[in-house]
């Protein structure tokens, strides 16, 4: 198979078409980042554990947390921040590419009113590990606050919108939000939970249901002033180590991958229809299924030696136990695609962010993330 590395379009930043591009891209995009930074006043991130930077740390009853070792072992000062990663995640690297130091902080960690008042407000990360598009996803019991649902994340954003109106006024708020970027990464937990439920809804009915809920959430964001969206579809779920352990020879569970493909197709149609209705919205949709499979099929070209086994965990493929202080931990983390049984390593997250930022249409369309500020 021919190795397909992310390439860059004629009207976007052009990077070397070599496997070492992930190491030289920082120096090459300095000018791009500086020019884009002035055009992106804030970044807002919504989603699940793929973009969570510590939201669930603020939920005392939550059982879905990553604020303990070995998580964060490669984060500055080896701090376990709540990211399901050995370091930064994709939300962080995307923010870096737009001139930010890392992802905006969690909603619960900010004094939003004060930040807006002193004009240092640059956005918020609402993402909550374990949540989904459906309100029931991730919640164990009605009385236990396990996650911040997508609906609750939108409510949190509505309070930020009100604060912006208070301090900036309607015209400046509209301008501020219309130039801000909204990154969304969600859907994996819904698909996984339904697949393994005792009475799963058939894919032909369940995926369209998720699409309708996603549309409702996007319409709510649009009504509150969001105009530029970076949408990350679900990855090849069947190739996570947690799913490989149930397959002969550790192969991918293709039925889950097929559901991920169906979800991406649903998102393509949904976003295209919204664009026809709302002429001023712009979006970029990342095809994480193809991105993931391209890396797995051409692992050595991306400097990955281990694409089936988790770096942190226990048991078969290091994926039968969650990452914890007593887990087996790999030393060569840059050579692993997966950090734990579900989530990518920092290196893989960096590669994903670079591809979303400047990738070719196979991986991100109709424009890539780098083109959103000028769209």
């Amino acid at each position: 198979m021919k190795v397909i590395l992310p390439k860059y379009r004629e009207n976007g930043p052009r990077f070397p078409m070599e496997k070492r591009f992930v190491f030289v891209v920082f120096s090459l995009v300095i000018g791009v980042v500086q020019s884009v930074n002035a055009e992106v006043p804030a970044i807002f991130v919504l989603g699940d554990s793929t973009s969570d930077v510590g939201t669930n740390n603020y939920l005392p009853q939550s059982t879905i947390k990553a604020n303990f070792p070995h998580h964060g072992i490669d984060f500055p000062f080896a701090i376990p921040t709540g990211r399901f990663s050995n370091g930064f995640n994709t939300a962080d690297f995307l923010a870096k590419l737009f001139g930010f130091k890392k992802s905006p902080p969690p909603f619960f960690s900010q004094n939003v009113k004060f930040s807006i008042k002193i004009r240092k407000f640059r956005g918020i990360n609402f993402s909550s590990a374990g949540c989904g598009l459906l309100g029931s996803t991730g919640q164990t019991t009605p009385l236990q606050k396990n996650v911040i649902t997508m609906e609750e994340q939108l409510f949190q954003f509505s309070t930020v919108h009100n604060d912006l109106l208070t301090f900036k006024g309607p015209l400046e708020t509209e301008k501020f939000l219309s130039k801000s970027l909204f990154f969304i990464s969600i859907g994996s937990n819904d698909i996984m939970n339904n697949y393994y439920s005792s009475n799963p809804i058939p894919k032909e009915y369940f995926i369209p249901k998720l699409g309708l809920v996603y549309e409702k959430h996007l319409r709510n964001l649009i009504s509150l002033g969001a105009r530029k969206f970076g949408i990350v579809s679900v990855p090849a779920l069947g190739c996570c180590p947690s799913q490989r352990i149930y397959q002969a020879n550790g192969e991918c569970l293709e039925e889950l991958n097929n559901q991920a493909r169906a979800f991406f197709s649903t998102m393509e149609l949904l976003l295209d229809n919204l664009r026809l209705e709302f002429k001023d919205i712009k979006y970029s949709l990342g095809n994480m299924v193809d991105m993931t499979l391209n890396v797995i099929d051409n692992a050595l070209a991306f400097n990955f030696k281990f694409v089936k086994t988790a770096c942190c965990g226990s048991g078969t493929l290091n994926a039968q136990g969650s990452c914890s202080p007593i887990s087996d931990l790999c030393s060569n983390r840059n050579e692993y695609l997966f950090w734990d049984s579900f989530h990518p390593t920092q290196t893989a997250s960096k590669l994903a962010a670079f591809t979303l930022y400047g990738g070719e249409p196979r991986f991100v369309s109709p424009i890539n993330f780098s083109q959103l500020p000028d769209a």
Side-chain angles (χ1 to χ4, degrees):
M1 175 182 289
K2 180 181 179 182
V3 177
I4 302 176
L5 293 168
K7 65 182 180 182
Y8 300 84
R9 303 178 187 166
E10 296 301 324
N11 57 343
R14 181 182 292 275
F15 303 145
M17 289 294 293
E18 305 174 35
K19 67 182 181 182
R20 67 174 182 273
F21 81 98
V22 293
F23 302 105
V24 303
V25 70
F26 281 125
S27 62
L28 291 175
V29 300
I30 289 175
V32 176
V33 168
Q34 288 176 339
S35 65
V36 167
N37 189 32
E39 302 172 15
V40 181
I43 289 176
F44 298 95
V45 187
L46 301 97
D48 53 29
S49 58
T50 55
S51 52
D52 187 352
V53 294
T55 292
N56 287 13
N57 297 351
Y58 297 88
L59 304 179
Q61 294 180 314
S62 178
T63 59
I64 309 174
K65 295 182 179 179
N67 57 345
F68 49 82
H70 297 295
H71 297 295
I73 190 170
D74 296 312
F75 197 83
F77 306 106
I79 298 173
T81 61
R83 292 166 172 82
F84 285 77
S85 171
N86 55 308
F88 292 106
N89 63 26
T90 301
D92 291 305
F93 287 114
L94 282 171
K96 286 171 181 271
L97 287 168
F98 285 100
F100 293 66
K101 293 182 179 179
K102 57 186 177 182
S103 165
F107 173 79
F108 291 120
S109 71
Q110 285 207 67
N111 185 331
V112 176
K113 290 183 175 67
F114 181 72
S115 297
I116 296 172
K117 187 175 182 179
I118 64 174
R119 297 186 176 274
K120 288 190 176 182
F121 180 72
R122 302 296 307 281
I124 292 179
N125 189 317
F126 302 95
S127 299
S128 175
C131 81
L133 289 161
L134 304 177
S136 59
T137 300
Q139 299 288 28
T140 51
T141 68
L143 299 178
Q144 181 177 348
K145 195 64 179 173
N146 213 32
V147 303
I148 301 299
T149 67
M150 188 65 169
E151 187 171 355
E152 290 171 319
Q153 292 179 40
L154 289 170
F155 176 77
Q156 290 174 345
F157 175 69
S158 72
T159 67
V160 174
H161 178 263
N162 290 337
D163 291 338
L164 287 168
L165 287 174
T166 298
F167 290 100
K168 290 179 174 290
L171 292 180
E172 190 175 346
T173 295
E174 180 182 359
K175 181 180 179 181
F176 180 85
L177 292 177
S178 69
K179 292 185 176 182
S180 297
L181 300 181
F182 290 76
F183 298 150
I184 307 176
S185 177
I186 198 164
S188 298
N189 294 320
D190 300 288
I191 294 173
M192 296 282 285
N193 287 3
N194 178 65
Y195 183 79
Y196 284 107
S197 71
S198 58
N199 188 26
I201 302 172
K203 176 183 69 176
E204 294 73 18
Y205 300 101
F206 187 68
I207 299 300
K209 176 183 178 180
L210 292 183
L212 290 174
V213 178
Y214 212 135
E215 179 180 357
K216 182 189 74 171
H217 293 324
L218 287 174
R219 286 182 179 276
N220 285 338
L221 283 171
I222 292 170
S223 72
L224 292 170
R227 291 297 180 268
K228 298 187 176 186
F229 299 93
I231 307 292
V232 182
S233 190
V234 302
L237 298 173
C239 294
C240 294
S242 61
Q243 307 310 302
R244 287 181 182 271
I245 61 176
Y246 301 114
Q247 306 304 303
N249 302 317
E251 298 304 313
C252 298
L253 178 55
E254 283 306 316
E255 175 54 30
L256 273 177
N257 286 351
N258 289 336
Q259 295 210 23
R261 291 186 184 97
F263 184 80
F264 174 77
S265 297
T266 297
M267 290 305 302
E268 276 190 309
L269 181 59
L270 162 61
L271 290 167
D272 192 50
N273 288 337
L274 284 177
R275 179 174 55 176
L276 293 176
E277 181 178 348
F278 300 97
K279 304 299 183 183
D280 56 343
I281 72 164
K282 306 296 178 183
Y283 72 88
S284 178
L285 174 62
N287 186 343
M288 295 303 294
V289 176
D290 280 0
M291 285 170 55
T292 306
L293 293 179
N294 183 52
V295 173
I296 291 172
D297 291 341
N298 304 287
L300 292 180
F302 292 96
N303 294 322
F304 289 117
K305 292 184 180 179
F306 306 94
V307 296
K308 294 183 177 182
T309 304
C311 173
C312 184
S314 60
T316 304
L317 299 182
N318 227 19
Q320 289 182 298
S322 59
C323 184
S324 73
I326 61 173
S327 295
D328 295 330
L329 177 68
C330 70
S331 59
N332 48 340
R333 292 179 284 278
N334 290 340
E335 297 177 349
Y336 278 73
L337 178 62
F338 288 96
W339 163 240
D340 59 16
S341 60
F342 288 100
H343 304 96
T345 58
Q346 174 175 260
T347 299
S349 294
K350 183 190 298 185
L351 177 60
F354 290 156
T355 308
L356 292 167
Y357 183 80
E360 63 176 301
R362 172 184 171 182
F363 300 117
V364 56
S365 62
I367 58 176
N368 57 45
F369 281 37
S370 75
Q371 295 166 309
L372 282 170
D374 295 323

